[in-house]
Amino acid sequence: MASLLMACAANEGATGAAGKDSPAEPGSSISGNYLAARHAGVVGDDQEAASFLTAALAQSPDDPVLLGRAYSALAMDGRVAEAVEVARRFIAVEQNVALPYVVVATGDIHDGRFDDAVRTLDNIPHGPLSLFLTPVLKAWADFGAGRIDAATADLGPLKANPPTATLYDVHAAWLSDAAGDSAAALAHARDAVAAQPEPWFRLADLAGQIFERAGQPAEAAAVYERYLSRHPDSQLMQPGFTRLHEGVRPGIEIATAQDGAAEVLFDAAGIAGRQNSRETALVFGRLGLYLRPDFPELQILIGDMLESDQRLADANEVYAGIDPNSPLSVTAQIGIARNLDRLGHFDEAQRLLRQLAAERPSDADPLTELADILRRKERFAEAVEVYDEAIARIGTLQPRHWRLLYARGIALERSNQWPRAESDFVQALKFEPDQPFVLNYLGYSWVEQGRNLDQAEAMIRKAVELQPNDGYIVDSLGWVLFRLGRYDEAVIELEQAVELRPEDAAINDHLGDAYWTVGRQREARYQWMAALASGPEAKLKAEIEKKLERGLLREANAGVQ
């Protein structure tokens, strides 16, 4: 146990952080390395999980538990070639798990061993993967082997299954396009687009390219416009519109078996991510990038997953690999800047965002990101100035811009520019009347000012109905009731708020005030002590210390209207 505890302690200090100086060293104990690997996996450090598991496998190379965890960890860390070999070893001892077959088949497709990939996929255990991923991967493997008719037949199960019927036309279109059958590609692309009232980006982009190559510019423009109607601020369709304007037809983006299989894995990663299967999503994403390293959409997806795991430097490495000519390059550069700030390099982040803003004078996104960073740093007056720059670039605001008004409103309120802040909050609510966070912020601000208390109560009650498990919003309701002199009701709501957010100093302080006012002084002191233990900001800390020292009703009840 001593070696295990030492291994876990070393790992604890190095994982789960945005950046680290050096990785923990694997120990000499199999159990220690295994448990340290599990800990690394829990905190999202795939690099250390893979290293510990590899060390354990060196001591016990045929252990099915170690093999089963190691191939997945290696794949998530981007060490796909190693993952393929470990997955082969795992299949030799355990044939009832589907994912390692996908890993091995990916390795075979990558290396051009298409017949081997088909045999591997034919042996995959029946399960959810066989509904979508297996038929399409097999189709691209048969395509790579030159068996076009077999590849088309492989897609048949998708068409027969209602949940995947649309995906049949999607992948049949890409496959026919790669095979040079433009008529079939056009027909399938039309059917895929017609089945989707709101086409997702990849469908709109690739189907539009098929329409362009088929000499159907009006159809291409129509699908691009349909996408933009739902994403009016997007710049992603600009290359398509530029081609149409200049009369230049695009080349085939999905041209090889590796390209097609990467597209399948990109789809699978997105599906797994939406189902909150983080590990599986990252495995699929890394496999897809192994097949097609220059795949901006997939690189963005992987970078986002790594960001969510607080692997910020790793995310930036993925973002930095995106082709500067890709429409997604700006998204990647903004992601890099965001992560640089979170890694403690604000000046570098600010320079990058200012550079992007200068290069793209009509794009508000780099400035919006910079303003958000400044607001999070509580540099509110500076944030307001940058939000103003961003909004000036937009011109006439639309309902979709309510978030920007809300963010600027917070910065304005915190920099003592209340009239402008109130105007932004009111306008945001005109755009989005049922937005609970705006309702709460404006209502709470009015309560603090002793203004519009009845209206504030109605707004905050509505916010609570919309977000009943948000402790901050429930706290706002309790505080407005307190300010209205309805102390018993306030206690009920504030107790609920503390249950939802027991670590928040301000909420504990509010409950203490309410307890004191209804004569529960001992409980009030307990809540104020809990507030102090929660690390309040300096001003609140001083106020709480006065209450604990004097215990005066007037202190707790100052300003009640």
Side-chain angles (χ1 to χ4, degrees):
M1 284 299 291
S3 62
L4 169 60
L5 291 173
M6 291 175 66
C8 287
N11 195 52
E12 176 74 24
T15 60
K20 54 191 177 185
D21 296 329
S22 60
E25 293 294 331
S28 59
S29 160
I30 295 176
S31 61
N33 284 325
Y34 171 70
L35 291 172
R38 290 198 64 176
H39 173 78
V42 168
V43 299
D45 194 324
D46 303 316
Q47 181 181 17
E48 289 200 350
S51 295
F52 281 117
L53 286 166
T54 300
L57 273 178
Q59 299 166 289
S60 183
D62 297 321
D63 186 298
V65 175
L66 294 176
L67 288 166
R69 290 190 174 273
Y71 82 82
S72 178
L74 287 164
M76 286 190 287
D77 193 41
R79 297 159 62 178
V80 176
E82 295 173 71
V84 169
E85 295 311 310
V86 175
R88 289 188 196 279
R89 290 159 55 190
F90 180 62
I91 290 173
V93 298
E94 173 57 74
Q95 291 82 43
N96 294 319
V97 181
L99 186 58
Y101 288 83
V102 175
V103 175
V104 170
T106 298
D108 290 335
I109 292 171
H110 176 274
D111 294 339
R113 297 190 298 269
F114 301 116
D115 290 338
D116 290 342
V118 170
R119 281 191 291 270
T120 297
L121 293 166
D122 279 338
N123 290 320
I124 194 169
H126 181 75
L129 290 180
S130 63
L131 294 177
F132 162 64
L133 189 57
T134 304
V136 189
L137 278 179
K138 186 178 175 184
W140 284 105
D142 272 324
F143 172 84
R147 296 186 288 267
I148 307 303
D149 290 342
T152 302
D154 290 331
L155 296 176
L158 297 180
K159 191 173 186 179
N161 185 21
T164 60
T166 297
L167 294 173
Y168 166 81
D169 282 310
V170 169
H171 289 279
W174 312 160
L175 193 67
S176 300
D177 196 35
D181 189 342
S182 58
L186 182 60
H188 286 301
R190 283 171 171 163
D191 288 343
V193 169
Q196 296 297 314
E198 300 175 11
W200 61 91
F201 165 66
R202 200 69 181 146
L203 172 58
D205 185 34
L206 293 176
Q209 291 184 42
I210 288 175
F211 297 151
E212 288 184 59
R213 285 192 293 275
Q216 303 295 326
E219 284 188 81
V223 74
Y224 298 152
E225 291 287 358
R226 280 177 60 190
Y227 178 81
L228 283 178
S229 69
R230 301 295 298 181
H231 306 88
D233 294 324
S234 175
Q235 301 294 315
L236 297 180
M237 290 301 162
Q238 192 56 48
F241 285 117
T242 299
R243 289 192 303 267
L244 290 172
H245 177 72
E246 297 176 351
V248 176
R249 294 186 183 181
I252 296 177
E253 186 172 333
I254 302 176
T256 68
Q258 288 81 2
D259 293 339
E263 196 74 30
V264 177
L265 291 161
F266 170 57
D267 291 342
I271 293 169
R274 288 190 292 275
Q275 295 173 343
N276 295 318
S277 300
R278 168 217 170 249
E279 292 188 0
T280 304
L282 190 52
V283 168
F284 289 151
R286 290 292 200 179
L287 293 176
L289 210 57
Y290 180 61
L291 293 174
R292 184 180 169 190
D294 180 17
F295 193 164
E297 292 80 5
L298 182 52
Q299 288 163 287
I300 289 288
L301 180 62
I302 292 173
D304 184 64
M305 286 190 278
L306 293 172
E307 274 195 67
S308 297
D309 289 339
Q310 300 301 308
R311 295 179 59 185
L312 307 181
D314 292 337
N316 278 2
E317 183 178 350
V318 174
Y319 289 146
I322 292 178
D323 185 347
N325 295 317
S326 166
L328 287 167
S329 176
V330 174
T331 301
Q333 292 298 305
I334 290 175
I336 289 173
R338 179 174 58 248
N339 292 335
L340 283 171
D341 173 65
R342 294 166 70 187
L343 288 165
H345 304 297
F346 169 73
D347 289 343
E348 191 175 348
Q350 182 171 229
R351 281 195 298 272
L352 177 54
L353 291 169
R354 281 294 184 186
Q355 178 183 335
L356 287 171
E359 292 171 352
R360 303 172 64 86
S362 63
D363 190 348
D365 289 345
L367 293 173
T368 300
E369 184 65 41
L370 177 56
D372 287 343
I373 290 173
L374 289 166
R375 177 171 53 83
R376 288 192 294 268
K377 290 183 174 300
E378 300 187 359
R379 294 166 63 168
F380 298 113
E382 295 172 76
V384 168
E385 292 179 3
V386 182
Y387 280 128
D388 287 346
E389 290 183 65
I391 289 173
R393 291 188 172 195
I394 295 171
T396 303
L397 296 179
Q398 303 296 326
R400 65 182 181 274
H401 296 121
W402 73 264
R403 291 181 181 84
L404 187 54
L405 286 166
Y406 174 50
R408 187 176 68 172
I410 293 172
L412 285 162
E413 185 269 332
R414 295 300 300 273
S415 58
N416 299 314
Q417 301 181 63
W418 175 248
R420 288 189 64 199
E422 185 176 42
S423 176
D424 275 358
F425 293 139
V426 169
Q427 184 60 50
L429 285 176
K430 287 180 180 177
F431 286 155
E432 196 76 17
D434 293 332
Q435 217 307 311
F437 301 109
V438 185
L439 287 166
N440 177 64
Y441 204 104
L442 179 56
Y444 187 87
S445 297
W446 279 341
V447 170
E448 286 294 283
Q449 297 167 22
R451 299 174 53 223
N452 305 327
L453 294 180
D454 291 338
Q455 187 178 355
E457 179 186 356
M459 291 169 62
I460 296 172
R461 284 194 182 278
K462 185 175 183 180
V464 170
E465 291 175 5
L466 295 165
Q467 290 284 331
N469 295 318
D470 189 304
Y472 298 116
I473 296 178
V474 176
D475 171 68
S476 295
L477 177 57
W479 197 237
V480 72
L481 292 169
F482 182 89
R483 297 298 296 267
L484 288 169
R486 292 151 59 184
Y487 305 120
D488 291 331
E489 295 177 67
V491 166
I492 294 171
E493 299 298 338
L494 291 169
E495 285 178 336
Q496 175 65 16
V498 167
E499 285 187 21
L500 293 168
R501 285 283 180 179
E503 77 289 351
D504 188 84
I507 296 176
N508 278 283
D509 175 57
H510 286 167
L511 180 57
D513 289 2
Y515 278 156
W516 185 275
T517 307
V518 298
R520 297 164 64 176
Q521 283 86 356
R522 182 177 298 177
E523 292 167 279
R525 291 183 181 280
Y526 175 83
Q527 292 303 144
W528 291 332
M529 291 174 65
L532 276 184
S534 299
E537 60 184 31
K539 181 180 178 182
L540 179 58
K541 180 180 178 183
E543 292 173 357
I544 296 169
E545 287 173 342
K546 282 185 180 181
K547 295 173 191 177
L548 285 168
E549 179 184 352
R550 302 176 185 177
L552 296 177
L553 178 60
R554 185 171 177 275
E555 287 287 340
N557 202 23
V560 175
Q561 304 298 309

